Amino acid sequence: MERKYKLIGVTPRLLTEDGVEKQFVNRDYVRNLLNYNCNVIMLTLNNPALEEVLELCDGFLVTGGSDIDPKYFGEDNLGLSKNVKPDLDDVDKMVVEYAAKTKKPLLGICRGHQAINVFLGGSLFQDIGNDHRGIPNDHKVKAIKNDVLAFNENIITNSYHHQAVRDVAPNMKAIAFHEDGTIEAIVHNTLPIIGIQWHPEKLTGTHESTVIFDKFFEFLNK
């Protein structure tokens, strides 16, 4: 029986409080999905058969967070990649690969954008410096016309990262760039997969945020 509400699996992130490690999802991600009447579950770490959980989901959101281990794109970590968490890499990798295999919709934000690129065969710059960190509302991005996301050509958004897409994964294409050339958005040529480097979940109601979440919801209902 078809469910009334689409079920979205969202990847967790980690924090430690008073010596206790906790898994969490930022409420901004959940709020945006609830705006589209989606049910949301957190894909907790170290499940013995995660694919059985993924089978229940109609789509996935891979969230922002700490750095991806550069071993996944053939490099050593000489200290440029910070706060690498193997458990997070494991769950993101499984979600990205499962979504591609099953053709289920996938949206990646910030680290999630990078995870899509890496786990579909692309690479990252381990550290592009401080120019893209801690920018709440004055990050200039230029989009190119494409068949997936109807962005305005010029976008003012936010930025909170220092790893960035270098070589775009096979069958993905870059559709938005910072003025310094940093890739800010990627889409798959044939699958319902979107990667966004900035944080649209923090910008609910803006044109670009609406375009992203509208398209993800459209993918869910195809």
Side-chain angles (χ1 to χ4, degrees):
M1 184 177 68
E2 185 175 354
R3 288 192 293 261
K4 182 177 180 181
Y5 302 106
K6 299 298 183 181
L7 179 61
I8 310 303
V10 181
T11 57
R13 295 303 175 233
L14 298 173
L15 61 83
T16 300
E17 292 181 332
D18 300 322
V20 178
E21 189 173 65
K22 302 178 181 180
Q23 300 182 49
F24 73 98
V25 171
N26 281 338
R27 197 167 185 178
D28 284 343
Y29 297 115
V30 177
R31 186 186 70 247
N32 279 274
L33 296 173
L34 295 179
N35 285 343
Y36 289 84
N37 291 321
C38 293
N39 280 323
V40 181
I41 61 169
M42 185 171 72
L43 302 171
T44 52
L45 304 177
N46 306 123
N47 282 292
L50 180 61
E51 188 159 315
E52 293 182 6
V53 181
L54 303 184
E55 289 173 358
L56 301 174
C57 298
D58 298 298
F60 307 97
L61 195 162
V62 180
T63 60
S66 58
D67 290 353
I68 295 169
D69 194 324
K71 73 178 183 180
Y72 289 107
F73 47 95
E75 295 183 7
D76 294 326
N77 185 1
L78 302 178
L80 295 176
S81 297
K82 310 293 186 184
N83 199 28
V84 169
K85 302 286 189 183
D87 290 346
L88 295 183
D89 289 346
D90 288 345
V91 72
D92 284 9
K93 183 173 186 291
M94 289 187 68
V95 169
V96 170
E97 292 178 347
Y98 179 84
K101 178 179 72 174
T102 60
K103 301 181 182 180
K104 290 185 177 183
L106 170 62
L107 172 61
I109 293 175
C110 199
R111 172 197 158 99
H113 158 83
Q114 298 163 10
I116 287 171
N117 192 63
V118 168
F119 298 129
L120 293 183
S123 66
L124 302 179
F125 294 106
Q126 290 194 49
D127 185 5
I128 58 172
N130 294 324
D131 290 347
H132 290 252
R133 300 187 192 188
I135 302 171
N137 55 19
D138 191 29
H139 193 65
K140 297 178 176 63
V141 173
K142 184 175 290 289
I144 60 175
K145 290 188 71 173
N146 64 93
D147 296 330
V148 180
L149 296 173
F151 288 147
N152 294 324
E153 181 180 1
N154 295 299
I155 301 168
I156 303 297
T157 187
N158 54 40
S159 187
Y160 299 93
H161 69 105
H162 79 101
Q163 286 190 322
V165 169
R166 184 177 65 197
D167 300 311
V168 178
N171 297 313
M172 301 292 298
K173 60 184 175 184
I175 62 163
F177 304 83
H178 184 255
E179 56 192 7
D180 67 5
T182 299
I183 294 171
E184 296 278 347
I186 56 176
V187 294
H188 199 280
N189 290 328
T190 59
L191 300 177
I193 297 177
I194 298 169
I196 304 295
Q197 182 60 76
W198 68 88
H199 282 269
E201 81 282 0
K202 295 179 178 291
L203 300 169
T204 303
T206 64
H207 174 72
E208 285 71 33
S209 180
T210 300
V211 164
I212 292 163
F213 285 100
D214 277 0
K215 179 57 68 170
F216 182 61
F217 190 68
E218 179 185 319
F219 282 155
L220 288 168
N221 286 281
K222 280 189 174 180

